[in-house]
Structure formats: C-alpha cells, structure tokens
Amino acid sequence: MTCSQCNHDLDHCHGTLVIHADTRVDCTEPDCVDFEIVRHTLVLDCTELHGGCSCTVIAQESQLLRVS
C-alpha cells in the first residue's frame, strides 16, 4: 500500500501530532520539524496518550493554585 499524499507530492507527515496542555506540540515522527496541524492526518490531545502526560498534571496543579 502506498500513501496517496506521497503519490501526489503533497507536503505531509506520517507521524502523529500530539498537542499538550501547556501549548507545546510534538510529533511521533523523529524527522518532523513542521508541526502544523494540516500536515498531520493523526492529531491527539496529550490526555489521550496511554498513561497520560506529565504536562496535564502540571496544568491541573497550576489551575488549583490559581483557584485557591
């Protein structure tokens, strides 16, 4: 099976873009340097990661500090 975006020479990434609660973004593709959402077929919120993400704990603690 071949990638239709590759076949049409479209700018894209085969990795999964992960959007973190602290506004950072990462891609699972090590060579990816352009983190635009439109380049990625798969986009996840970091809370959807198996085992969660440490940035959500930090964001929740920060929110609790602001509220208290």
Side-chain angles (χ1 to χ4, degrees):
M1 180 182 278
T2 60
C3 173
S4 64
Q5 291 179 332
C6 288
N7 289 340
H8 291 96
D9 292 325
L10 296 173
D11 182 32
H12 67 288
C13 178
H14 293 145
T16 300
L17 190 68
V18 180
I19 301 174
H20 294 275
D22 63 3
T23 68
R24 287 181 306 116
V25 292
D26 292 318
C27 180
T28 58
E29 185 67 35
D31 297 332
C32 182
V33 293
D34 187 350
F35 301 127
E36 292 294 321
I37 290 175
V38 297
R39 294 187 69 245
H40 295 83
T41 304
L42 299 172
V43 179
L44 294 177
D45 185 85
C46 70
T47 59
E48 298 176 80
L49 297 173
H50 179 69
C53 181
S54 62
C55 78
T56 57
V57 173
I58 294 167
Q60 289 171 350
E61 288 174 355
S62 174
Q63 181 66 24
L64 285 174
L65 289 175
R66 277 188 252 140
V67 172
S68 45

